[in-house]
Amino acid sequence: MIGKERKTIEPCNEQGKRIVIGKFKSVAKDKLILCDSQMSQEDKLPPLINALKTSAEQNAASFHFPGHNRGQAAPSSLTQLIGVKPFLHDLTGLPELDNFFSPEGPLLDAQQQAAKLFGSLETWFLVGGTTCGIQAAIMATCSPGDILILPRNSHISAISAMVLSGAVPRYIIPDYNFDWDIAGGVTPSQASLYWWLFLQVETAIRELEMEGQKPAAVFVTSPTYHGICSNLSEISKLCHSQGIPLIVDEAHGAHLGFHPQLPSSALQQDADLVVQSTHKVLCSLTQSSMLHMLGNIVDRERICRCLQTLQSTSPSYLLLASLDAARCQLSKNPKAVFNKALKIAVEAKDMIKELAGISVLDFQSFPKFPTVDPLRLTVGFGQLGLSGYEADEILCKEHEIICELAGTQSITYAMNLGTCREHVERLVSGIKHLVSSQALIKGDDAAGGRVRVGTAAPFAEITRSLNPREAFFKRKRRVSIEDCIGEVSGEMICPYPPGIPVMIPGEIITEKALDYLVNVRSNGAVISGASDSQLSSILVCNG
């Protein structure tokens, strides 16, 4: 267990009541979910898995949703691919499976055991991904007109959360590193990202004080898509000294804090609300995430109301059960679980660093970064004269190597619990072949060219004309791309992944932002959010 013992809810310390599966009587909770003293952790099924298994095994006459009726009418085209079992277990809000919004049985047990493992006061399972959790966290702390401090390179879900909540952004503008085309890096003052972020948050709070205002919350992303982690401890202290909750988008960091070689988690650094994509490095099903709460600054009941507003009333219990399974898998021996993945990741980086014309994002590349997730591998191809998109296309077509994120300068590969040495060897071999191919094509000048994307971040000079919520509901008109500079953006447009918006509704469209989008699209990026996928026109707000 990580976190603080005093802030843990024990899963087996009360005599709760629940419905016995298939029967209409109640029994003591500890007779259904045995404590560790009666049955070893290895022998028992996780509570939600056990409930789902038992419910699916009933010889029941089913007159409830979903329509495939426990696989009886499952589409053959899909059962040929995945079999019938997923449909058999595709159950929703049956009494024995608990109430998603007011859990009292196996779902409550599962969430409490997750809270104990991750070190939170309370944990909620999410079926709408981390997007849903971020939206709920911001809605739970910000009312219409409240100010939210956040970096401008936050994920698109933070922007949609401001549309939903009516929060007003006070942006921290990140510094930009052009060798890697990555936001949130080195500062001219030689300060680390940690101190840069702390000082930026402190400055924003002081500026608001001078204006007679106070932020409702501070929002930080750590780690980033590339694995760059912030030291959140001092930011937490700063926020808490003034009664301001700290929300952390830890989508890429559900695994942090469980091994000595991994950075500390946001909960270990006393963040108030933390949202994690349990499916990214841990092993739950895609779209399943967790929202953790620590401390008492945030109103718990308001979080519950927000989640009930945002989440489906027909949740997938396959997704929920996968969260319980991922928690159980990790809880058996957290340190040992990551040993293999960490060892393979180190080996991969060491081998790739030796290749001519290839760079690897690490402490030597960015000595001012406080921490980089060792399970995230970002490889630069700029010295070969290749963009990340071009390199990725070659590696994918010729070697069937599939990355997590391709960018203008680099490719990011996500190492996880399922990463095997064979695949790492194929990755290293593929990059070696790519280096050799480029040398043959370009001769001795292969390492002479470097792909450049500009000299300023695409959002370095933003001017906000409207708040995100105001712009979202404003009437729009379509303007050709040649005529849109100086107009107020009516769309949220971003290369995806990583899902960081270059244009946000309400901001004035700049030439730099437009050039960046056109450039990355021409290099192979997928542009998300634009109503015109060809970027020949953009929706702008009417005056």
Side-chain angles (χ1 to χ4, degrees):
M1 185 190 76
I2 62 176
K4 300 179 180 177
E5 192 71 32
R6 64 181 178 82
K7 295 181 179 177
T8 297
I9 302 175
E10 296 292 341
C12 291
N13 61 357
E14 291 186 58
Q15 297 292 315
K17 298 235 177 171
R18 68 167 64 124
I19 301 295
V20 178
I21 296 169
K23 298 182 180 181
F24 293 93
K25 69 176 183 178
S26 60
V27 297
K29 177 199 290 187
D30 61 352
K31 291 183 181 179
L32 281 178
I33 306 298
L34 300 177
C35 291
D36 288 346
S37 60
Q38 297 169 277
M39 181 180 291
S40 72
Q41 183 72 27
E42 287 74 21
D43 292 334
K44 73 175 184 180
L45 289 173
L48 203 51
I49 299 288
N50 182 62
L52 190 61
K53 175 181 181 291
T54 309
S55 184
E57 289 175 350
Q58 291 183 90
N59 183 19
S62 299
F63 297 92
H64 59 78
F65 302 135
H68 59 70
N69 201 332
R70 299 182 183 234
Q72 296 295 322
S76 61
S77 59
L78 190 52
T79 58
Q80 290 175 28
L81 182 65
I82 65 172
V84 178
K85 275 196 169 183
F87 290 93
L88 181 64
H89 294 87
D90 180 29
L91 302 172
T92 186
L94 299 174
E96 64 265 24
L97 293 181
D98 217 345
N99 185 322
F100 184 45
F101 295 116
S102 299
E104 297 179 344
L107 177 56
L108 178 63
D109 280 339
Q111 292 184 156
Q112 288 178 341
Q113 291 190 38
K116 181 177 181 179
L117 176 68
F118 286 93
S120 68
L121 180 65
E122 187 163 0
T123 292
W124 291 267
F125 286 1
L126 309 175
V127 294
T130 294
T131 290
C132 170
I134 288 172
Q135 290 171 341
I138 291 177
M139 288 177 67
T141 53
C142 299
S143 298
D146 283 349
I147 296 172
L148 175 68
I149 295 175
L150 74 165
R152 176 56 180 75
N153 61 324
S154 297
H155 187 265
I156 190 173
S157 56
I159 312 305
S160 63
M162 289 189 285
V163 172
L164 293 168
S165 66
V168 178
R170 177 62 66 101
Y171 290 122
I172 296 169
I173 305 301
D175 292 288
Y176 216 80
N177 184 283
F178 293 96
D179 287 337
W180 290 92
D181 191 24
I182 292 175
V186 184
T187 67
S189 64
Q190 305 299 312
S192 69
L193 175 63
Y194 149 52
W195 280 113
W196 166 79
L197 190 55
F198 172 81
L199 292 172
Q200 290 281 57
V201 171
E202 185 180 44
T203 299
I205 292 174
R206 286 181 177 177
E207 288 176 350
L208 288 170
E209 284 180 350
M210 293 175 65
E211 299 168 13
Q213 301 183 80
K214 177 182 176 181
V218 171
F219 179 90
V220 174
T221 301
S222 180
T224 67
Y225 215 125
H226 300 89
I228 301 166
C229 301
S230 299
N231 187 325
L232 302 170
S233 297
E234 292 301 318
I235 298 175
S236 296
K237 291 177 184 177
L238 171 65
C239 291
H240 296 162
S241 68
Q242 304 199 36
I244 302 168
L246 174 63
I247 305 168
V248 178
D249 173 359
E250 200 172 42
H252 293 268
H255 59 297
L256 299 186
F258 285 104
H259 191 281
Q261 294 179 33
L262 293 171
S264 298
S265 71
L267 286 169
Q268 288 173 316
Q269 298 179 77
D270 289 327
D272 298 282
L273 293 176
V274 179
V275 195
Q276 299 172 336
S277 294
T278 317
H279 62 89
K280 290 193 186 300
V281 177
L282 303 184
C283 302
S284 66
L285 292 174
T286 297
Q287 197 176 311
S288 59
S289 296
M290 295 187 192
L291 169 61
H292 305 286
M293 181 182 74
L294 192 64
N296 56 8
I297 295 180
V298 182
D299 182 353
R300 176 196 178 275
E301 296 304 320
R302 186 165 169 178
I303 296 174
C304 293
R305 291 195 300 273
C306 292
L307 288 173
Q308 189 164 359
T309 300
L310 294 166
Q311 297 214 88
S312 172
T313 54
S314 301
S316 166
Y317 269 78
L318 283 174
L319 295 181
L320 294 172
S322 77
L323 288 167
D324 196 20
R327 184 276 313 163
C328 181
Q329 179 186 37
L330 181 60
S331 65
K332 291 177 181 178
N333 194 336
K335 292 181 181 179
V337 165
F338 290 103
N339 282 336
K340 177 186 173 184
L342 286 164
K343 183 178 180 181
I344 289 175
V346 170
E347 291 174 357
K349 291 178 184 179
D350 288 344
M351 287 186 286
I352 294 172
K353 283 178 184 178
E354 299 299 318
L355 302 179
I358 298 297
S359 52
V360 174
L361 176 67
D362 59 11
F363 291 109
Q364 284 69 43
S365 304
F366 281 106
K368 301 184 182 74
F369 284 170
T371 328
V372 178
D373 179 4
L375 292 181
R376 205 54 56 96
L377 170 62
T378 297
V379 181
F381 299 87
Q383 295 177 50
L384 296 178
L386 288 176
S387 71
Y389 303 115
E390 293 167 331
D392 179 54
E393 184 176 6
I394 295 169
L395 292 169
C396 185
K397 286 183 177 180
E398 297 184 7
H399 303 275
E400 293 187 279
I401 296 167
I402 302 174
C403 75
E404 172 56 34
L405 170 66
T408 57
Q409 303 288 350
S410 62
I411 302 176
T412 297
Y413 300 94
M415 306 287 185
N416 50 50
L417 298 182
T419 302
C420 65
R421 183 165 275 102
E422 177 191 350
H423 288 173
V424 168
E425 290 172 352
R426 189 196 299 184
L427 172 62
V428 175
S429 175
I431 296 176
K432 281 183 179 178
H433 185 267
L434 176 62
V435 171
S436 299
S437 299
Q438 287 302 111
L440 288 172
I441 292 170
K442 298 185 178 181
D444 294 337
D445 293 331
R450 175 176 288 277
V451 179
R452 303 291 293 186
V453 295
T455 56
F459 40 73
E461 299 175 358
I462 62 166
T463 301
R464 194 177 73 249
S465 177
L466 298 169
N467 296 328
R469 182 180 177 90
E470 294 171 334
F472 182 87
F473 291 104
K474 195 83 169 174
R475 286 185 174 274
K476 315 290 192 303
R477 72 182 189 279
R478 187 170 298 283
V479 175
S480 69
I481 196 167
E482 295 82 7
D483 300 325
C484 70
I485 295 175
E487 297 281 356
V488 178
S489 176
E491 300 185 280
M492 182 149 48
I493 305 177
C494 59
Y496 201 93
I500 294 170
V502 173
M503 291 185 188
I504 291 177
E507 292 180 355
I508 294 177
I509 299 171
T510 65
E511 186 175 359
K512 288 177 182 176
L514 200 59
D515 287 347
Y516 183 87
L517 284 173
V518 172
N519 184 45
V520 296
R521 185 184 177 279
S522 66
N523 280 319
V526 175
I527 304 299
S528 174
S531 58
D532 180 355
S533 60
Q534 302 302 311
L535 280 184
S536 59
S537 63
I538 291 178
L539 286 180
V540 301
C541 296
N542 285 340

